[in-house]
Amino acid sequence: MDFESKVISREVSEILWETEKTVGTAESCTGGRIAEAIIAVPGASKYFKGGIISYVNEIKENLLGVDPQVLEEKTAVCEEVAVAMVKGACKTLNTDYAISATGLAGPSGGTKDIPVGTIWLACGSPERVVTLKVQEDHGRDINLAIATNVAMELFLKFLKEENAPRPVREG
């Protein structure tokens, strides 16, 4: 894991530790790399409950509650599936937050509409999920490293927004 990734993982750890919130992962193409980034920080067992590697649609449907009709109509590589994976992971793992990734890491499997390197990332809570699409092909290993880092950055930004002090309204 590179230095920047370790810094992001440490910041995520500090926020989760202080807020006493929990997180889990629902990963398809990243195959556990996001979970690995989270547990790279000692003490992660206080806030990381686990992950589901849902490499096939059957697991997305059965463990994460992804709608089979969405999978059929839009494929697993779409924003709706990434969002459903977050919500399903929060429910299945009983966590406050979850991070998900679904996409085509390569080297094959892409189409004109969904080229290799297209990866949908999502994170959030059952009430609020944010998403981001990564769409560049740099080869399988780099695609997965980028997706993992971007997912952690997205989650850190989400946590900072969720835990920012709210202005006091007078009146």
Side-chain angles (χ1 to χ4, degrees):
M1 184 182 304
D2 63 29
F3 180 73
E4 182 184 355
S5 298
K6 287 182 181 176
V7 169
I8 292 167
S9 294
R10 171 83 51 203
E11 281 189 75
V12 164
S13 169
E14 289 170 3
I15 293 171
L16 292 172
W17 192 274
E18 289 169 12
T19 59
E20 298 184 354
K21 300 287 188 179
T22 57
V23 67
T25 59
E27 302 181 64
S28 187
C29 61
T30 50
R33 285 171 177 83
I34 297 169
E36 182 182 22
I38 293 169
I39 64 145
V41 179
S45 60
K46 181 174 180 353
Y47 51 83
F48 181 70
K49 285 194 168 184
I52 297 169
I53 299 173
S54 55
Y55 217 63
V56 296
N57 288 348
E58 174 189 0
I59 303 302
K60 289 176 183 73
E61 292 173 27
N62 295 338
L63 292 181
L64 297 171
V66 175
D67 185 341
Q69 191 171 343
V70 172
L71 290 166
E72 189 177 320
E73 291 174 5
K74 295 194 171 193
T75 79
V77 186
C78 69
E79 185 175 28
E80 292 86 345
V81 169
V83 168
M85 289 171 68
V86 166
K87 292 180 179 185
C90 287
K91 181 179 179 183
T92 301
L93 299 169
N94 191 30
T95 58
D96 298 297
Y97 306 121
I99 306 167
S100 74
T102 183
L104 297 170
S108 61
T111 65
K112 184 173 79 59
D113 294 332
I114 306 172
V116 167
T118 303
I119 301 172
W120 275 100
L121 305 169
C123 66
S125 65
E127 298 80 31
R128 178 174 172 252
V129 178
V130 295
T131 61
L132 183 67
K133 182 163 106 173
V134 175
Q135 197 170 17
E136 285 186 40
D137 184 15
H138 300 282
R140 183 177 183 81
D141 291 340
I142 294 173
N143 291 346
L144 294 173
I146 289 170
T148 300
N149 287 346
V150 171
M152 290 298 290
E153 289 170 2
L154 184 67
F155 186 52
L156 178 59
K157 182 180 178 207
F158 174 86
L159 286 175
K160 286 180 175 179
E161 289 170 1
E162 283 289 296
N163 295 289
R166 305 278 188 238
V168 178
R169 295 180 68 150
E170 295 180 27

